[in-house]
Amino acid sequence: MTPQEEETPVADTNLAQRAISRRTVLKGGSLVGLSAFLAACGGGGSTAAPTTGGEATPAPTTGGEATPVPTADSGEITGPLNFANWPAYIDLNDDESASPTLDDFEAQYGIEVKYVEDIQTNEDFFATVAPALQAGLDTGWDLIVLTDYMAARLVRQGWVETINPANVSTAAANVRDELRGLGWDPDMTYHYPWQSGATGVGYNVVSTKRDLTSIGDLFDDAFKGKVTLLSGYQDTFSLVSLLLRERGEITNLPPDLTLEDAQKIKDFLQPFVDSGHVRAFTGNEYLQDFGSGDTWVAVVWSGDLASSGGEDDRFIYPVEGSIIWTDNMLIPKGAQHKRAAEAMIDFVYDVDNAARLAAWIYYISPVKGVADVIAAEDAELAANPLLFPPADVTAKQYAQPDLTDEEDIAFNDLVSLLEGA
Amino acid sequence: MGQLIHRYRAAIPWLLMLPGLAWLAVFFVVPNVQMLLFSLSEGTLLTGFTTPPDTWSFDNFPGAVTRYSGNFVNSIVYGGLATILCFLIGYPLAYGIAFRGGRYKSLLLFLVIAPFFTSFLIRTISWRIILGNDGPFLGIIRDVLGLVPDNFSVIGTPLAVVGGLTYEFLPFMVLPLYVSLEKVDRRLVEAAQDLYAGPWRRGGAITGALLGGFLAVALQVGLGYSQFVGETATPGLVALAALVGATAGGLVGASMVSQAFLRVTLPLSLPGVFAGSILTFIPSIGDYVNAHLLGSPKTQMIGNVIQGRFLEQNDYPTAAALAFILMAAILVAIFVYARVLGTEELSGGRA
């Protein structure tokens, strides 16, 4: 690990290249993992209806044919708020029985929040809500969280409610400037970011018996059969493209990957899948596999292992670079409690609320001023590269591929050949 | 009134069948017609579908077969092995309960069904734990016996998938077998013994050895057990497997199978064998949960492809085509199987 230490002058930024382990002592991994599996293989099972069911999904409007559902824009905030999010993406209290953020929101607005960790991968969740959205029906969700490319796709399809600016004044004021003005929604008409994060390499240092630094470490023979990659091309193909770029086999950066590049990446990965080196393609359920020791090294999302992994689980921003993305809050068309969803958007953009959330889940907050609040309370956390990636890391962070629907289908064909189904 | 009933007596069976027929029409025929139309369509959820009569994409069918032939093979091999294993485990169990269960019969049967009281998913996830890195299985063969290297993983091998399938569907095999064995008239067995149906040593040893050897080789090759240890199935390993299987099968055949069983009990239980193997084979061939949770990219079955095409790629036409191909393949397989076993035995005609 010496080369990196020599390169980086300030001791603190070493953390960026070196392994990041978790700070607090938790044991959430197995629980999170279990719900992850249930969602993962539920597929059709865990469809639109939130788990607690019945009264949460009122009958769709009688019109059927894409009739805009009359939602009270200026009216009262009514509940329950049906909130679909990813695992390991909300703060928890000490015994992990409740979430302070959600409790405070419920206390402040007097409505119930039905928070369900139902999103494992963007594609799976899209498939569960798309038929309802296409038919102009209520999905049963009031607030969902999807990554940039998938959020953009929903907006393109016209499947997202507009957010009334009057109801989200805190959010409008506090969202970080670099997150404004995106091509697919320049004026924040449809979305507000939930968190940003990176895709990099996670490993269990006891199992690997050494510190890892690069994407190439995923393919070390010593880890055969104990490696998992994220499913889909957005994370794994983007990250591996950086490795191939380093080797001179690909010239494009991840946002500009072509089908030809994707083919090269697929050809590179195929032998590792055939030999059993790569055991599986996963969503968030890698947390469970790290917990049991079935996975030693994996392509992972930056905050998960820190918030919900074990003592010896580490995350690195690889030397070749990493992938940066933002998950965005959207109100799906026909949501029954739109006003409550807007209240939640505004609530998590309060600086103190945002700081509490980021400090627990270890992702990058989209809220201005969070750094100051955290710095005032916890200097160690303020230096954590998961929450505040240092400059040498951000210089090598790239966005995910931005593809048309047709390109997306072609990329997904390669993915399905690679993943075996 | 009585006259009225008398006059329409012929209509009564139809009236009784009406709810069932209506149910099937609504929940079987209608969705299948819809699926059939999808299987002949083009496009995805995002780009929109072109459905018949605007297009008739019969190409979906051969395209799906060629592209996913590997998954079909996985399904047939794993489903077939799981059915055979279920039979080998289930027949002695059902026999034991039916003939020797005594007053514990009900309790034993309850224990067979007991796993159904928990969710299918939870049971499969618990198999992940049993076969996982920290689990008891590796705890014995890796830590205690040292048979496999440190980074050996059972999860991700075909062994794990077939093991999971066998476990999930064992009750589907045991219950029909039990029902048919329970019905066997004991006096027929006694009569056979009186008529010199004694032990079956030589025939049992030969048949057992052949079956055992074949099964061991099928397991060895079909499961690709050694792929994660870095070896392929060498002729030596196959020969070893055949030897072990033949010895075990021969011993069992010679010591435990009698002429009376062979000539009376087994033929009378064939309807149960047929029902049990159909009930095991059909769900296991279409299963995707086990391959998803216990398998690797190389062990994905056709159910995984259908699930992925429907729910990840939103490619309904290919998914629907695959579903129909699977359905047709299963129907053909059952037809052939019924012919081989003989329809007379299946209806219990000879008993």
Side-chain angles (χ1 to χ4, degrees), chain B residues 201-268:
Chain B
R201 299 220 185 280
R202 208 167 56 176
I206 294 169
T207 317
L210 284 176
L211 282 178
F214 171 75
L215 185 76
V217 171
L219 274 176
Q220 163 79 28
V221 176
L223 298 183
Y225 169 76
S226 51
Q227 66 168 330
F228 281 84
V229 203
E231 302 161 28
T232 47
T234 59
L237 278 175
V238 173
L240 184 70
L243 190 69
V244 173
T247 312
L251 284 175
V252 170
S255 62
M256 295 169 84
V257 182
S258 70
Q259 297 257 14
F261 171 81
L262 186 75
R263 298 189 179 198
V264 177
T265 314
L266 184 63
L268 288 179

Side-chain angles (χ1 to χ4, degrees), chain A residues 170-224:
Chain A
T170 318
N174 285 358
V175 66
R176 289 200 342 254
D177 293 331
E178 58 267 41
L179 294 168
R180 297 175 200 262
L182 301 179
W184 53 275
D185 185 17
D187 304 320
M188 326 252 9
T189 315
Y190 300 105
H191 86 285
Y192 272 89
W194 170 256
Q195 301 285 305
S196 300
T199 303
V201 174
Y203 64 99
N204 181 291
V205 70
V206 173
S207 300
T208 59
K209 302 190 181 77
R210 67 181 177 93
D211 278 320
L212 308 187
T213 57
S214 77
I215 301 165
D217 286 331
L218 284 165
F219 306 104
D220 184 330
D221 275 346
F223 310 145
K224 184 173 181 178

Side-chain angles (χ1 to χ4, degrees), chain A residues 109-182:
Chain A
Y109 290 97
I111 59 167
E112 191 190 349
V113 180
K114 293 189 170 165
Y115 183 87
V116 187
E117 295 186 343
D118 216 23
I119 310 180
Q120 282 295 307
T121 71
N122 286 291
E123 286 72 20
D124 280 339
F125 189 74
F126 176 83
T128 66
V129 295
L133 287 167
Q134 196 168 47
L137 304 176
D138 169 28
T139 61
W141 299 110
D142 300 311
L143 193 59
I144 60 177
V145 177
L146 294 171
T147 311
D148 303 300
Y149 71 99
M150 191 57 83
R153 180 179 297 169
L154 260 71
V155 170
R156 275 207 300 275
Q157 295 282 335
W159 291 350
V160 183
E161 295 277 352
T162 55
I163 298 170
N164 184 349
N167 294 334
V168 291
S169 52
T170 318
N174 285 358
V175 66
R176 289 200 342 254
D177 293 331
E178 58 267 41
L179 294 168
R180 297 175 200 262
L182 301 179

Side-chain angles (χ1 to χ4, degrees), chain A residues 28-48:
Chain A
S30 57
L31 202 68
V32 171
L34 189 65
S35 68
F37 279 126
L38 293 174
C41 42
S46 62
T47 39

